Amino acid sequence: MRVLFAVSSWPTHYSAMVPFGWALQAAGHDVRVLCTPPQVPALSGAGLTPVPVLDSPSDEVRLRVQYFAEALDGIWPYPWLPRHPLTGARIDSLDDFSVEEFRERRLPGIAARAAASFDAAVDYATAFKPDVVLHDPANLEGALAGRVTGARTAMVLWGAVGPAEPAHMRIVPEDISGSFPRYGLGPFDPGTIAAVIDPCPSAVAPPIGTAERWPVQYVPYNGSFPAPRWTLDPTDRPRICVTWSTALRTMIGPPAFLLPEIARALDALDALDALDGLAGLDADVILTATPQDVADLGPMPPNVRVFERLPLRLILPSCTAAIHHGGAGSTLTALWAGVPQLLPTFASEQAASANRVATAGTGIHLPGHLADAPALRKAVDDLLTDASYPKAARAARDEMRLRPTPLELIEMFAD
């Protein structure tokens, strides 16, 4: 069987699809990944075969434009302004960026690049003749290539958000190039998606509209790193994993760098104990972040151990709780491990995911601008003392383990 993946330009959007590639290749199937050139090292390092023919518009710009639109519509929930959509710089007023000028001057060039990317995808797919095409939610080239070639085609979700979210936080981009009509398929909208592969447990399953939902077992991939021996050792006190976004400061700005505040809230000797009547937190804290974030942390409390880019799948099975920004990979890996989670969020997609986690009883959502040290500490205490959170997290984990594996699902899907 020939299987073609198509991934967007965001550095981690491919992660949810990596285990599908491993399983398919191990079973003797031919797997190739349409991508942009910057994705080549990461995909190659994950053991997949990249095909760097895409030139997708920047997901960073698209998302920052989306955040700016939220501010214009009065639904941006934070007490600071969003970043400049093109540069990512701080703005002093919503007048610092003109949406009309962007559409008139910039959008035609972006649309032309997108059209060329769609054509490259269709050209390669026509030559490759795939039986199955899988694409992530932010990649439409795969959706078009699958339709044109007649291959069985599905969107693979990367987390607890889907194609039928509200317009202000949609993760599926528009076809700004008009490529679907150019190929005789009519205008694209999220309802065009016919099948969605969903790794989420049913309690946090996102809306997918009229698409057919194909539940699959979640297999985490968070990069590779030597496995520390201590992750196998028993611990006589709670272990809390803290991790953060690889790009949140770029997208939202300095207020989204919450790691120092989280570390202060988890300090066993913190003055919060006296101020808020909370007992001393006798916990082992494992903090993993990007090299830049680690460098900016400053001195850490004695109960916090810091690591650079330590994969969550190595840490979370030994943990009592997890704290993170609500990113898709962090959320699903915590659910996979059966670990309650605290999610201080700073973006619409992450907030939607965190709300689903909270509604399912598997964690606590805390809007980022309200996540000061006392609020964080109170939420952590609740996770550690309320037995309902680990119970719900384990139930979600157990359900996920009963799903078809990636290989089983794709072989059923292809029939």
Side-chain angles (χ1 to χ4, degrees):
M1 183 165 62
R2 293 184 172 188
V3 183
L4 189 64
F5 292 1
V7 298
S8 57
S9 60
W10 193 265
T12 56
H13 280 172
Y14 71 91
S15 297
M17 299 171 71
V18 168
F20 288 85
W22 290 343
L24 288 163
Q25 290 175 158
H29 302 300
D30 187 357
V31 179
R32 305 186 191 182
V33 186
L34 298 179
C35 65
T36 58
Q39 293 279 54
V40 168
L43 289 165
S44 298
L48 302 181
T49 302
V51 181
V53 299
L54 303 186
D55 186 24
S56 303
S58 166
D59 280 327
E60 289 187 1
V61 171
R62 178 176 66 84
L63 290 171
R64 285 197 295 251
V65 168
Q66 195 165 292
Y67 301 156
F68 194 85
E70 289 184 28
L72 290 176
D73 293 340
I75 57 175
W76 176 252
Y78 306 107
W80 56 82
L81 293 175
R83 310 297 280 182
H84 191 284
L86 297 181
T87 67
R90 186 178 67 85
I91 61 175
D92 298 317
S93 165
L94 293 178
D95 294 332
D96 290 350
F97 176 76
S98 169
V99 174
E100 290 185 5
E101 182 180 351
F102 171 76
R103 288 174 177 163
E104 291 177 3
R105 292 190 175 186
R106 302 264 186 171
L107 203 56
I110 296 173
R113 284 181 54 192
S117 189
F118 278 104
D119 291 342
V122 170
D123 178 70
Y124 191 87
T126 301
F128 183 56
K129 298 180 176 58
D131 300 289
V132 174
V133 174
L134 305 179
H135 62 96
D136 73 44
N139 178 285
L140 297 187
E141 291 96 332
L144 177 63
R147 292 279 297 278
V148 170
T149 60
R152 288 279 279 162
T153 304
M155 172 186 290
V156 181
L157 297 185
W158 57 57
V161 286
E165 304 290 354
H168 78 276
M169 59 150 292
R170 60 182 291 178
I171 59 171
V172 180
E174 298 178 42
D175 174 20
I176 58 174
S177 69
S179 291
F180 280 77
R182 284 196 298 116
Y183 282 90
L185 298 175
F188 173 84
D189 65 63
T192 304
I193 303 300
V196 171
I197 294 175
D198 183 6
C200 301
S202 56
V204 300
I208 62 170
T210 59
E212 183 178 8
R213 192 188 302 266
W214 288 74
V216 69
Q217 186 177 141
Y218 178 68
V219 179
Y221 174 73
N222 328 109
S224 296
F225 192 88
R229 173 66 175 80
W230 56 260
T231 60
L232 303 177
D233 295 336
T235 177
D236 58 358
R237 61 178 184 167
R239 175 175 288 162
I240 300 172
C241 174
V242 179
T243 187
W244 208 242
S245 166
T246 58
L248 200 55
R249 279 199 286 181
T250 302
M251 300 300 298
I252 304 296
F257 184 51
L258 208 59
L259 282 179
E261 193 76 356
I262 293 172
R264 193 173 86 85
L266 299 179
D267 186 352
L269 305 175
D270 197 277
L272 288 169
D273 299 341
L275 293 175
D276 298 277
L278 297 170
L281 184 63
D282 184 22
D284 179 22
V285 180
I286 308 299
L287 188 153
T288 177
T290 65
Q292 178 189 348
D293 284 350
V294 168
D296 292 343
L297 279 173
M300 286 288 97
N303 64 325
V304 177
R305 287 187 282 170
V306 179
F307 298 87
E308 292 183 3
R309 296 189 180 278
L310 189 58
L312 294 182
R313 71 182 187 279
L314 300 180
I315 314 171
L316 286 177
S318 69
C319 288
T320 313
I323 304 175
H324 60 87
H325 64 292
S330 302
T331 300
L332 284 184
T333 305
L335 288 166
W336 164 84
V339 175
Q341 46 195 309
L342 168 59
L343 306 93
T345 64
F346 287 92
S348 300
E349 175 191 339
Q350 296 155 6
S353 178
N355 280 334
R356 288 171 187 141
V357 166
T359 300
T362 58
I364 296 172
H365 176 210
L366 192 59
H369 63 294
L370 303 178
D372 57 13
L376 288 163
R377 181 61 182 275
K378 175 63 167 59
V380 171
D381 273 24
D382 289 344
L383 286 184
L384 296 180
T385 58
D386 186 338
S388 69
Y389 291 112
K391 181 179 180 181
R394 288 193 297 268
R397 176 200 62 194
D398 293 344
E399 180 199 333
M400 294 168 83
R401 291 178 177 178
L402 296 175
R403 301 274 186 88
T405 67
L407 178 61
E408 291 170 339
L409 181 112
I410 298 304
E411 289 183 338
M412 288 189 294
F413 181 73
D415 288 341

